[in-house]
Amino acid sequence: MNKIKLAEDTYWVGKIDNREVPFHRLILAKGTTYNAYLLHTAKPTVIDTVDLEFGREFVEYLSQLIDPSEIQYIVINHTEPDHSGGLAALAGRAPNATIVCTELAVDDLKEMYKLHSRNFLVVKDGDTLDIGGKTLKFKETPYLHTAETMITYCVEDKILFPCDIFSTHMAAQSFFADEAGFDITEDFIGYYNAIIHPHRRYVRTLLKALEELDVQMIAPSHGFILRTDIQKYIDLYAQLSANTVEDKRVTIVYTTIKNNTKKVAEQIKRIFEENQIEASVFNADKTDKDEIIASIKEADAVWIGSSTKYADMIGNLEDLLIDLKEMNLEGKIAAAFGSYGWSGEAIEVIQDYLMQTNMNVQSTSQVIKTTGMLHVEFPVRIRFAPKNEQLKKIEHAAAFVADLLQSAI
Ligand code: FEO
């Protein structure tokens, strides 16, 4: 057979999918590939697998290069089934293999593929693994694009296996970008915009981490392997993930019983200011309504919050919300928030009012549908005073809006 060789003892063992593939509510008109890799070292290791649908075919192909029972490690960078799906077929044929993944991925894989009695090796940021002649180094990349993801770097070969990152959706027969016969840049950017851009905050963190690695080849999970002009592709990610829009403003309005909702408002303001976005905060019970409305008219994003008392908002907020329904606020982003003790009905009532304006109201449902992210929740509901994990909740939501404001896409 014709082996697709990346480096000594390192081979492509994936699947080319020529279909028009439905994916993340897109149709991949040019198909895609599911790239998996075999590192045929003294402790043979497979990095990622293929889509669930092609698991058997994958194992058959792999079996032409190695007896699967010899495989010692299966590295799963990301649990989405277009990468981990082949595990269903491979795990049984590779009974001696330990599955290497992040802590968050373990439960996913156990549940998805009934691997409850399997050996797992949980790796953390910076951990290394000796696979007998080569060394793998792992970097956790949470939210890029799901919470459990990581990337793998082969120290000796200087190859980065970044899973979805740096991918291209194309069912090309040429495995390497430099052999494609055309410039892949447009398809590479198209993939970035569709899949990676909503997570661009985390791209910037990743690129900082990559500065410590000498990357000579990028072997992603979809499309072309990059082995020339590496820096060009990394620079493209830096350029595409950078903030492109400046001078945005946010208005935050609240009413509060015991200052907990006020503290949430202040945390929201802090996150925007850390992102170089000007934020004005108003207590609706202590500020003239016209002053608040003037600020809202100037704002690019509007946050409205209240504590809950007797299952409703408190103070002057309802008068303001009634006025907002009558105004033309098109183009502005809106979000509801509040501190509560039991059920937090006020936050939902505010959300309902905002939905009656023509603002772009953020909701958990919308975030999941457009980005797949589960850690960003709207409205922002905080029990009692904001602390610990609840502060993270505020941070994720405010940072998400900051990213929407600062990107032209
Ligand atoms: Fe290629 Fe996150 O799927």
Side-chain angles (χ1 to χ4, degrees):
M1 69 182 288
N2 190 20
K3 292 182 186 176
I4 315 301
K5 184 173 174 179
L6 280 71
E8 202 56 39
D9 300 324
T10 299
Y11 305 97
W12 178 92
V13 287
K15 164 71 187 171
I16 299 171
D17 187 353
N18 281 309
R19 302 170 305 167
E20 290 192 351
V21 187
F23 194 78
H24 288 222
R25 294 196 63 73
L26 303 169
I27 296 294
L28 307 180
K30 297 178 180 177
T32 192
T33 67
Y34 312 106
N35 299 337
Y37 301 95
L38 169 67
L39 281 62
H40 203 160
T41 55
K43 298 177 189 172
T45 298
V46 170
I47 299 181
D48 291 319
T49 69
V50 299
D51 188 84
L52 191 60
E53 207 166 319
F54 302 104
R56 283 174 187 274
E57 195 178 324
F58 161 65
V59 176
E60 274 167 32
Y61 180 76
L62 184 62
S63 302
Q64 296 178 52
L65 278 76
I66 187 171
D67 175 353
S69 67
E70 292 175 17
I71 295 169
Q72 296 295 303
Y73 296 109
I74 303 169
V75 176
I76 299 292
N77 282 316
H78 172 35
T79 60
E80 213 171 3
D82 55 320
H83 306 276
S84 68
L87 200 50
L90 181 59
R93 296 281 304 279
N96 303 316
T98 296
I99 298 166
V100 182
C101 60
T102 61
E103 188 168 9
L104 279 180
V106 173
D107 278 348
D108 289 2
L109 297 173
K110 282 184 177 176
E111 291 298 326
M112 289 164 80
Y113 306 116
K114 308 277 180 281
L115 296 171
H116 296 85
S117 55
R118 196 69 194 212
N119 274 346
F120 280 82
L121 174 66
V122 170
V123 289
K124 294 191 169 60
D125 218 25
D127 280 358
T128 57
L129 178 66
D130 174 1
I131 59 167
K134 294 183 196 275
T135 313
L136 300 182
K137 188 169 187 178
F138 306 99
K139 158 117 198 94
E140 292 179 81
T141 53
Y143 314 128
L144 203 55
H145 65 100
T146 48
E148 86 300 340
T149 52
M150 67 174 190
I151 58 175
T152 300
Y153 174 71
C154 178
V155 175
E156 290 76 9
D157 294 335
K158 300 180 171 43
I159 301 177
L160 182 69
F161 299 94
C163 202
D164 277 330
I165 308 160
F166 299 117
S167 281
T168 311
H169 277 313
M170 185 169 295
Q173 298 297 327
S174 45
F175 295 91
F176 297 95
D178 54 286
E179 291 178 349
F182 63 93
D183 184 353
I184 73 154
T185 306
E186 192 181 326
D187 294 288
F188 181 83
I189 292 174
Y191 177 97
Y192 168 88
N193 286 338
I195 308 293
I196 303 294
H197 192 72
H199 313 271
R200 65 195 182 91
R201 174 172 295 267
Y202 309 103
V203 170
R204 299 196 290 259
T205 311
L206 166 76
L207 295 179
K208 272 224 153 309
L210 287 188
E211 287 171 9
E212 294 167 14
L213 302 178
D214 179 8
V215 179
Q216 295 296 322
M217 188 184 298
I218 298 177
S221 284
H222 300 292
F224 297 106
I225 298 164
L226 312 170
R227 60 182 178 184
T228 57
D229 299 328
I230 297 299
Q231 197 55 44
K232 170 190 143 178
Y233 294 106
I234 294 175
D235 288 348
L236 264 176
Y237 262 49
Q239 186 189 322
L240 295 166
S241 65
N243 291 335
T244 51
V245 177
E246 294 178 347
D247 298 331
K248 293 288 178 177
R249 288 180 186 190
V250 174
T251 296
I252 304 161
V253 187
Y254 70 91
T255 51
T256 190
I257 301 172
K258 289 190 169 180
N259 283 338
N260 285 336
T261 298
K262 177 183 179 186
K263 286 176 189 161
V264 179
E266 286 167 349
Q267 289 298 323
I268 294 168
K269 175 179 163 62
R270 178 181 66 80
I271 300 300
F272 281 108
E273 287 180 346
E274 283 176 10
N275 285 276
Q276 287 77 51
I277 294 174
E278 190 185 321
S280 306
V281 179
F282 300 95
N283 180 332
D285 289 338
K286 293 183 177 173
T287 316
D288 184 70
K289 189 170 71 172
D290 290 342
E291 188 185 336
I292 296 174
I293 286 179
S295 177
I296 287 174
K297 282 181 179 170
E298 294 296 312
D300 301 287
V302 179
W303 291 67
I304 310 272
S306 171
S307 311
T308 295
K309 186 177 180 187
Y310 303 142
D312 206 348
M313 297 177 285
I314 62 154
N316 293 337
L317 217 46
E318 192 148 19
D319 280 352
L320 173 70
L321 287 164
I322 289 168
D323 284 3
L324 295 188
K325 282 199 305 179
E326 306 307 320
M327 291 166 58
N328 181 8
L329 302 170
E330 195 173 359
K332 299 182 194 298
I333 292 170
F337 68 96
S339 159
Y340 68 100
W342 291 269
S343 311
E345 291 89 340
I347 306 159
E348 306 305 319
V349 174
I350 294 169
Q351 180 84 349
D352 288 348
Y353 263 110
L354 293 176
M355 295 297 282
Q356 294 173 61
T357 71
N358 59 354
M359 290 192 278
N360 172 14
V361 184
Q362 299 303 296
S363 69
T364 301
S365 163
Q366 188 64 10
V367 172
I368 293 173
K369 285 185 286 192
T370 55
T371 72
M373 290 195 276
L374 298 177
H375 64 291
V376 178
E377 297 174 56
F378 293 101
V380 178
R381 301 169 54 86
I382 303 297
R383 268 202 95 202
F384 299 112
K387 52 182 185 281
N388 306 327
E389 278 310 298
Q390 308 228 53
L391 284 173
K392 283 268 170 230
K393 228 169 149 176
I394 298 168
E395 191 174 320
H396 289 315
F400 183 82
V401 173
D403 285 349
L404 290 180
L405 292 177
Q406 291 177 315
S407 168
I409 297 179

